[in-house]
Amino acid sequence: MTERKPGIGTKLVEGGRRKEWRGRLVTPPVERASTILFDSVADLENGTPRLGEYRYGLQGTATHWALSEALTQLEQGAAGTALFSSGLSAITGTLLALLSPGDELLVTDSVYGPTRRFCDTILKRFGIVTTYYAPLIGADIADLITERTRAIILESPGSHTMEIQDVPAICAAAADRDVVTVIDNTWATPLFFPALSAGVDITILAATKYVAGHADLLLGTATATAKYFTRIQRTAWDLGHAVSADDAWLALRGLRTMAVRLKQHQENALTVAGWLKQQPRVGQVLHPALADCPGHELWSRDFKGSSGLFSFELTGANDAERAAFVDRLDMFGIGYSWGGYESLALPVNPIRTASTAPADNLIRLHIGLEDPDDLIADLAASFAAM
Ligand SMILES: Cc1ncc(COP(=O)(O)O)c(C=O)c1O
């Protein structure tokens, strides 16, 4: 009999539910701990920190290990998942694990703003040089790789402007020169883009968004191949990164329903984006599943779906008019982050140093799980008042 590989929905339901961690409960419980007690000094001194072994709160408890294991199982070829206290700290912790003074780093120009800030301030202070590249560079990234290039950061789609990158081409060029690739895969998650299968070495999620799914916690994850996992996990501990057991448990609860939530975010966002496309005051709709979005053909080639976040251009609007458009919305919250069950709207201003943004005058929407007709009515009222 050939062994069946479980589907993604099954993995989300079963991941991390080892009997030794959950006993007779369905779900591994919240195990809060700083101190772990040993039977003797010899026992305490015996062994090294590792996931799955009680040692000190920093190394986690069954609650954390269950979340790590469930996430690792979503990526083929993954050796493990390190947990961090936020999406941003997963990115910065991973970079600190990989880079040394004198190294060069290539970063997509569409990168999440605080990642750019970390590169331009703290990494710069430690003698690491960042070069930004055009998100659509593809295989031509090879021309930017020097003897000193140690890592390439990808984010697909990019923050605010949503460009889809040619991840396999960039990773192939990197692998040729033994350069490590790191992707911020928060938008797609492994469900819509299994990053390690596309050639990426380390994939990062701001689990704050779709994994948690309820806008009530901060958490980051770095899932890596065997070549890099131990180094990243060790660095996370050396830096003292810890995640509360309550947050790990909530994230694990969120993960169980991520597939159904993402399906609905996808459907609702496509309905709203399609409607926006028909509106006279709307220019480009930067949604990876629509032809307006740079790299749309790569999305069609590589992705299994689209989530709830996209941007659109409010043509001819100045900053005050964009702000007024958002202020008038009733159903869309105004605030940072995304990936929760609720809809959000924000005027955004892309930062570019190495390329041109596809559009300005952008408003970013996160489409939640409300009825899309209600969201459309709210948007229509704000257009009508313009
Ligand atoms: C693409 C992307 N990556 C990373 C992060 C950081 O996640 P966190 O808020 O958990 O630090 C965000 C947050 O908005 C994001 O949009």
Side-chain angles (χ1 to χ4, degrees), residues 262-313:
L262 273 181
K263 248 187 227 164
Q264 198 61 46
H265 282 292
Q266 163 167 260
E267 194 181 311
N268 293 2
L270 284 169
T271 305
V272 174
W275 178 83
L276 281 169
K277 194 70 206 115
Q278 314 298 321
Q279 304 314 303
R281 287 300 301 268
V282 172
Q284 292 185 69
V285 179
L286 300 174
H287 183 304
L290 299 187
D292 276 1
C293 193
H296 163 70
E297 61 294 344
L298 298 168
W299 175 83
S300 305
R301 187 190 71 185
D302 295 341
F303 283 61
K304 297 177 180 171
S306 56
S307 63
L309 189 78
F310 66 93
S311 303
F312 69 94
E313 194 184 9

Side-chain angles (χ1 to χ4, degrees), residues 86-88 91 112 155 159 184 186 206 208-209 218-219 337-338:
S86 67
L88 182 59
I91 297 165
Y112 172 59
E155 191 180 312
S159 277
D184 182 334
T186 302
T208 308
K209 322 297 182 203
L218 290 161
L219 204 144
S337 201
W338 48 278

Side-chain angles (χ1 to χ4, degrees), residues 196-368:
L196 296 199
S197 306
V200 176
D201 297 305
I202 302 157
T203 176
I204 289 176
L205 298 179
T208 308
K209 322 297 182 203
Y210 287 123
V211 174
H214 294 72
D216 50 9
L217 64 97
L218 290 161
L219 204 144
T221 69
T223 301
T225 58
K227 186 168 176 191
Y228 296 104
F229 175 65
T230 309
R231 184 170 182 159
I232 291 170
Q233 181 60 85
R234 188 62 255 181
T235 305
W237 289 335
D238 290 344
L239 290 169
H241 281 292
V243 170
S244 94
D246 300 86
D247 287 347
W249 189 87
L250 279 171
L252 194 54
R253 164 176 275 213
L255 193 67
R256 304 293 180 208
T257 59
M258 189 163 78
V260 275
R261 283 186 288 107
L262 273 181
K263 248 187 227 164
Q264 198 61 46
H265 282 292
Q266 163 167 260
E267 194 181 311
N268 293 2
L270 284 169
T271 305
V272 174
W275 178 83
L276 281 169
K277 194 70 206 115
Q278 314 298 321
Q279 304 314 303
R281 287 300 301 268
V282 172
Q284 292 185 69
V285 179
L286 300 174
H287 183 304
L290 299 187
D292 276 1
C293 193
H296 163 70
E297 61 294 344
L298 298 168
W299 175 83
S300 305
R301 187 190 71 185
D302 295 341
F303 283 61
K304 297 177 180 171
S306 56
S307 63
L309 189 78
F310 66 93
S311 303
F312 69 94
E313 194 184 9
L314 197 59
T315 350
N318 60 28
D319 288 353
E321 286 163 328
R322 271 192 304 159
F325 180 90
V326 169
D327 283 345
R328 277 194 302 269
L329 295 169
D330 250 358
M331 295 194 58
F332 290 79
I334 303 171
Y336 293 115
S337 201
W338 48 278
Y341 54 80
E342 81 295 3
S343 290
L344 297 167
L346 212 57
V348 291
N349 299 304
I351 303 166
R352 285 292 182 279
T353 51
S355 59
T356 316
D360 44 24
N361 295 331
L362 291 178
I363 292 180
R364 186 183 77 171
L365 298 181
H366 178 253
I367 302 300

